[in-house]
Tab-separated table of all heavy atoms in Angstrom:
chain	number	residue	atom	x	y	z
A	1	THR	N	-9.144	-4.292	-15.279
A	1	THR	CA	-8.376	-3.605	-16.320
A	1	THR	C	-7.905	-2.221	-15.866
A	1	THR	O	-7.351	-1.462	-16.662
A	1	THR	CB	-9.218	-3.451	-17.594
A	1	THR	OG1	-10.467	-2.820	-17.276
A	1	THR	CG2	-9.504	-4.814	-18.222
A	2	ALA	N	-8.110	-1.891	-14.603
A	2	ALA	CA	-7.688	-0.586	-14.085
A	2	ALA	C	-6.167	-0.530	-13.980
A	2	ALA	O	-5.511	-1.548	-13.739
A	2	ALA	CB	-8.314	-0.336	-12.724
A	3	PRO	N	-5.572	0.640	-14.145
A	3	PRO	CA	-4.120	0.761	-13.982
A	3	PRO	C	-3.713	0.486	-12.544
A	3	PRO	O	-4.485	0.700	-11.609
A	3	PRO	CB	-3.854	2.218	-14.381
A	3	PRO	CG	-5.157	2.924	-14.233
A	3	PRO	CD	-6.217	1.907	-14.523
A	4	GLU	N	-2.482	0.022	-12.378
A	4	GLU	CA	-1.997	-0.316	-11.040
A	4	GLU	C	-2.050	0.883	-10.103
A	4	GLU	O	-2.255	0.732	-8.897
A	4	GLU	CB	-0.561	-0.856	-11.129
A	4	GLU	CG	-0.457	-2.211	-11.809
A	4	GLU	CD	-1.261	-3.285	-11.092
A	4	GLU	OE1	-1.198	-3.338	-9.846
A	4	GLU	OE2	-1.966	-4.047	-11.781
A	5	SER	N	-1.879	2.071	-10.647
A	5	SER	CA	-1.898	3.274	-9.809
A	5	SER	C	-3.250	3.471	-9.131
A	5	SER	O	-3.322	4.024	-8.023
A	5	SER	CB	-1.557	4.504	-10.653
A	5	SER	OG	-2.493	4.666	-11.716
A	6	GLU	N	-4.328	3.023	-9.785
A	6	GLU	CA	-5.658	3.162	-9.193
A	6	GLU	C	-5.953	2.054	-8.188
A	6	GLU	O	-6.825	2.214	-7.326
A	6	GLU	CB	-6.722	3.192	-10.291
A	6	GLU	CG	-6.653	4.422	-11.173
A	6	GLU	CD	-7.796	4.489	-12.166
A	6	GLU	OE1	-8.846	3.866	-11.909
A	6	GLU	OE2	-7.641	5.169	-13.197
A	7	LYS	N	-5.266	0.919	-8.297
A	7	LYS	CA	-5.457	-0.176	-7.353
A	7	LYS	C	-4.613	0.011	-6.088
A	7	LYS	O	-4.940	-0.530	-5.032
A	7	LYS	CB	-5.070	-1.503	-8.009
A	7	LYS	CG	-5.885	-1.886	-9.226
A	7	LYS	CD	-5.363	-3.189	-9.822
A	7	LYS	CE	-6.123	-3.593	-11.059
A	7	LYS	NZ	-5.608	-4.854	-11.650
A	8	ASP	N	-3.541	0.747	-6.225
A	8	ASP	CA	-2.555	0.876	-5.155
A	8	ASP	C	-3.186	1.451	-3.886
A	8	ASP	O	-3.762	2.528	-3.899
A	8	ASP	CB	-1.419	1.775	-5.633
A	8	ASP	CG	-0.318	1.934	-4.604
A	8	ASP	OD1	-0.214	1.068	-3.713
A	8	ASP	OD2	0.428	2.918	-4.692
A	9	TYR	N	-3.071	0.687	-2.797
A	9	TYR	CA	-3.641	1.135	-1.525
A	9	TYR	C	-2.580	1.588	-0.531
A	9	TYR	O	-2.889	2.127	0.532
A	9	TYR	CB	-4.452	0.005	-0.878
A	9	TYR	CG	-3.714	-1.307	-0.732
A	9	TYR	CD1	-2.741	-1.477	0.245
A	9	TYR	CD2	-4.000	-2.384	-1.563
A	9	TYR	CE1	-2.051	-2.675	0.371
A	9	TYR	CE2	-3.320	-3.587	-1.445
A	9	TYR	CZ	-2.351	-3.725	-0.470
A	9	TYR	OH	-1.679	-4.912	-0.335
A	10	ALA	N	-1.319	1.384	-0.835
A	10	ALA	CA	-0.264	1.566	0.166
A	10	ALA	C	-0.208	2.995	0.704
A	10	ALA	O	-0.256	3.211	1.923
A	10	ALA	CB	1.082	1.175	-0.424
A	11	GLU	N	-0.094	3.982	-0.159
A	11	GLU	CA	0.044	5.353	0.315
A	11	GLU	C	-1.218	5.820	1.029
A	11	GLU	O	-1.152	6.535	2.039
A	11	GLU	CB	0.394	6.272	-0.852
A	11	GLU	CG	1.790	6.018	-1.411
A	11	GLU	CD	2.176	7.023	-2.485
A	11	GLU	OE1	1.423	8.005	-2.668
A	11	GLU	OE2	3.219	6.822	-3.126
A	12	ALA	N	-2.382	5.396	0.527
A	12	ALA	CA	-3.637	5.775	1.177
A	12	ALA	C	-3.705	5.177	2.581
A	12	ALA	O	-4.073	5.854	3.542
A	12	ALA	CB	-4.824	5.305	0.343
A	13	PHE	N	-3.341	3.902	2.706
A	13	PHE	CA	-3.394	3.248	4.008
A	13	PHE	C	-2.377	3.849	4.972
A	13	PHE	O	-2.637	3.966	6.169
A	13	PHE	CB	-3.126	1.750	3.863
A	13	PHE	CG	-4.266	0.968	3.273
A	13	PHE	CD1	-5.329	1.604	2.663
A	13	PHE	CD2	-4.266	-0.407	3.327
A	13	PHE	CE1	-6.378	0.882	2.106
A	13	PHE	CE2	-5.314	-1.150	2.792
A	13	PHE	CZ	-6.372	-0.501	2.175
A	14	ALA	N	-1.223	4.210	4.441
A	14	ALA	CA	-0.177	4.762	5.301
A	14	ALA	C	-0.565	6.115	5.879
A	14	ALA	O	-0.011	6.540	6.895
A	14	ALA	CB	1.125	4.887	4.519
A	15	SER	N	-1.536	6.785	5.260
A	15	SER	CA	-1.926	8.116	5.723
A	15	SER	C	-3.272	8.132	6.439
A	15	SER	O	-3.770	9.207	6.789
A	15	SER	CB	-1.980	9.080	4.531
A	15	SER	OG	-2.993	8.683	3.610
A	16	LEU	N	-3.873	6.972	6.679
A	16	LEU	CA	-5.168	6.939	7.355
A	16	LEU	C	-5.027	7.456	8.788
A	16	LEU	O	-4.116	7.050	9.512
A	16	LEU	CB	-5.736	5.519	7.361
A	16	LEU	CG	-6.163	4.962	5.994
A	16	LEU	CD1	-6.609	3.516	6.123
A	16	LEU	CD2	-7.287	5.802	5.383
A	17	PRO	N	-5.938	8.323	9.225
A	17	PRO	CA	-5.783	8.940	10.543
A	17	PRO	C	-6.027	8.012	11.726
A	17	PRO	O	-5.525	8.260	12.820
A	17	PRO	CB	-6.815	10.078	10.528
A	17	PRO	CG	-7.817	9.686	9.497
A	17	PRO	CD	-7.056	8.915	8.460
A	18	LYS	N	-6.814	6.931	11.532
A	18	LYS	CA	-7.167	6.083	12.670
A	18	LYS	C	-6.505	4.713	12.656
A	18	LYS	O	-6.716	3.907	13.559
A	18	LYS	CB	-8.686	5.887	12.718
A	18	LYS	CG	-9.477	7.149	13.038
A	18	LYS	CD	-10.942	6.808	13.203
A	18	LYS	CE	-11.769	8.026	13.583
A	18	LYS	NZ	-13.202	7.681	13.776
A	19	ILE	N	-5.737	4.410	11.618
A	19	ILE	CA	-5.211	3.056	11.443
A	19	ILE	C	-3.741	3.134	11.050
A	19	ILE	O	-3.346	3.986	10.256
A	19	ILE	CB	-6.017	2.297	10.371
A	19	ILE	CG1	-7.426	1.988	10.896
A	19	ILE	CG2	-5.338	1.007	9.967
A	19	ILE	CD1	-8.334	1.368	9.883
A	20	SER	N	-2.940	2.217	11.566
A	20	SER	CA	-1.518	2.178	11.208
A	20	SER	C	-1.056	0.749	11.011
A	20	SER	O	-1.398	-0.130	11.805
A	20	SER	CB	-0.682	2.835	12.310
A	20	SER	OG	0.697	2.660	12.044
A	21	TRP	N	-0.279	0.547	9.941
A	21	TRP	CA	0.332	-0.756	9.694
A	21	TRP	C	1.857	-0.656	9.763
A	21	TRP	O	2.549	-1.415	9.104
A	21	TRP	CB	-0.062	-1.286	8.311
A	21	TRP	CG	-1.420	-1.884	8.233
A	21	TRP	CD1	-1.760	-3.190	8.484
A	21	TRP	CD2	-2.631	-1.240	7.845
A	21	TRP	NE1	-3.105	-3.378	8.289
A	21	TRP	CE2	-3.674	-2.194	7.898
A	21	TRP	CE3	-2.948	0.074	7.477
A	21	TRP	CZ2	-4.987	-1.887	7.585
A	21	TRP	CZ3	-4.249	0.372	7.174
A	21	TRP	CH2	-5.263	-0.599	7.225
A	22	GLN	N	2.376	0.266	10.534
A	22	GLN	CA	3.818	0.467	10.585
A	22	GLN	C	4.552	-0.814	10.978
A	22	GLN	O	4.203	-1.470	11.971
A	22	GLN	CB	4.163	1.578	11.569
A	22	GLN	CG	3.795	2.965	11.065
A	22	GLN	CD	4.478	3.295	9.741
A	22	GLN	OE1	5.689	3.307	9.654
A	22	GLN	NE2	3.678	3.576	8.715
A	23	GLY	N	5.527	-1.182	10.160
A	23	GLY	CA	6.336	-2.369	10.426
A	23	GLY	C	5.740	-3.661	9.897
A	23	GLY	O	6.363	-4.717	10.010
A	24	HIS	N	4.538	-3.580	9.293
A	24	HIS	CA	3.852	-4.792	8.828
A	24	HIS	C	3.835	-4.829	7.308
A	24	HIS	O	3.334	-3.900	6.668
A	24	HIS	CB	2.420	-4.816	9.357
A	24	HIS	CG	1.679	-6.075	9.056
A	24	HIS	ND1	1.686	-7.159	9.909
A	24	HIS	CD2	0.925	-6.435	7.993
A	24	HIS	CE1	0.961	-8.128	9.387
A	24	HIS	NE2	0.485	-7.707	8.220
A	25	CYS	N	4.370	-5.884	6.713
A	25	CYS	CA	4.370	-5.997	5.257
A	25	CYS	C	2.958	-6.215	4.745
A	25	CYS	O	2.257	-7.130	5.179
A	25	CYS	CB	5.272	-7.154	4.810
A	25	CYS	SG	5.329	-7.341	3.004
A	26	MET	N	2.548	-5.373	3.810
A	26	MET	CA	1.204	-5.458	3.230
A	26	MET	C	1.215	-6.140	1.872
A	26	MET	O	0.191	-6.203	1.201
A	26	MET	CB	0.639	-4.042	3.083
A	26	MET	CG	0.530	-3.291	4.407
A	26	MET	SD	-0.723	-3.988	5.483
A	26	MET	CE	-2.194	-3.438	4.640
A	27	TYR	N	2.395	-6.605	1.411
A	27	TYR	CA	2.540	-7.253	0.097
A	27	TYR	C	2.102	-6.312	-1.025
A	27	TYR	O	1.588	-6.744	-2.054
A	27	TYR	CB	1.745	-8.555	0.031
A	27	TYR	CG	1.920	-9.459	1.222
A	27	TYR	CD1	0.825	-9.938	1.933
A	27	TYR	CD2	3.195	-9.839	1.666
A	27	TYR	CE1	0.990	-10.770	3.039
A	27	TYR	CE2	3.370	-10.663	2.765
A	27	TYR	CZ	2.259	-11.120	3.453
A	27	TYR	OH	2.425	-11.929	4.553
A	28	CYS	N	2.300	-5.002	-0.816
A	28	CYS	CA	1.811	-4.017	-1.778
A	28	CYS	C	2.746	-3.852	-2.977
A	28	CYS	O	2.341	-3.319	-4.007
A	28	CYS	CB	1.600	-2.673	-1.095
A	28	CYS	SG	3.125	-1.884	-0.501
A	29	GLY	N	4.011	-4.267	-2.844
A	29	GLY	CA	4.946	-4.203	-3.957
A	29	GLY	C	5.689	-2.887	-4.109
A	29	GLY	O	6.441	-2.717	-5.070
A	30	HIS	N	5.511	-1.949	-3.179
A	30	HIS	CA	6.215	-0.672	-3.280
A	30	HIS	C	7.720	-0.825	-3.097
A	30	HIS	O	8.476	0.087	-3.450
A	30	HIS	CB	5.659	0.323	-2.258
A	30	HIS	CG	4.498	1.098	-2.763
A	30	HIS	ND1	4.554	2.430	-3.071
A	30	HIS	CD2	3.229	0.719	-3.056
A	30	HIS	CE1	3.388	2.848	-3.516
A	30	HIS	NE2	2.560	1.824	-3.504
A	31	CYS	N	8.155	-1.938	-2.551
A	31	CYS	CA	9.587	-2.177	-2.366
A	31	CYS	C	10.307	-2.387	-3.699
A	31	CYS	O	11.521	-2.225	-3.795
A	31	CYS	CB	9.806	-3.396	-1.471
A	31	CYS	SG	8.815	-4.831	-1.949
A	32	ALA	N	9.581	-2.759	-4.738
A	32	ALA	CA	10.172	-3.000	-6.054
A	32	ALA	C	10.515	-1.674	-6.738
A	32	ALA	O	9.925	-0.631	-6.416
A	32	ALA	CB	9.199	-3.804	-6.909
A	33	PRO	N	11.465	-1.682	-7.686
A	33	PRO	CA	12.202	-2.857	-8.166
A	33	PRO	C	13.478	-3.102	-7.358
A	33	PRO	O	14.117	-2.152	-6.908
A	33	PRO	CB	12.557	-2.468	-9.608
A	33	PRO	CG	12.728	-0.969	-9.538
A	33	PRO	CD	11.716	-0.487	-8.532
A	34	CYS	N	13.809	-4.383	-7.195
A	34	CYS	CA	15.059	-4.759	-6.546
A	34	CYS	C	16.161	-4.809	-7.605
A	34	CYS	O	15.947	-5.373	-8.690
A	34	CYS	CB	14.909	-6.124	-5.882
A	34	CYS	SG	16.451	-6.863	-5.317
A	35	PRO	N	17.342	-4.258	-7.342
A	35	PRO	CA	18.403	-4.277	-8.357
A	35	PRO	C	18.861	-5.682	-8.720
A	35	PRO	O	19.434	-5.882	-9.792
A	35	PRO	CB	19.536	-3.474	-7.702
A	35	PRO	CG	19.254	-3.504	-6.246
A	35	PRO	CD	17.761	-3.524	-6.132
């Protein structure tokens, strides 16, 4: 029942100092909304 903002991992993962997922789709949904 947590808000989506608390579940969202995308920005946290993108800023991790030892790990990078650049270029890899994480299915996080940040690309939405599509027109």
Side-chain angles (χ1 to χ4, degrees):
T1 54
E4 292 300 316
S5 60
E6 293 185 23
K7 299 177 181 179
D8 182 21
Y9 53 75
E11 292 185 9
F13 286 13
S15 64
L16 292 176
K18 293 186 178 181
I19 290 174
S20 173
W21 281 272
Q22 288 302 300
H24 186 90
C25 181
M26 300 291 287
Y27 313 127
C28 66
H30 272 251
C31 48
C34 169

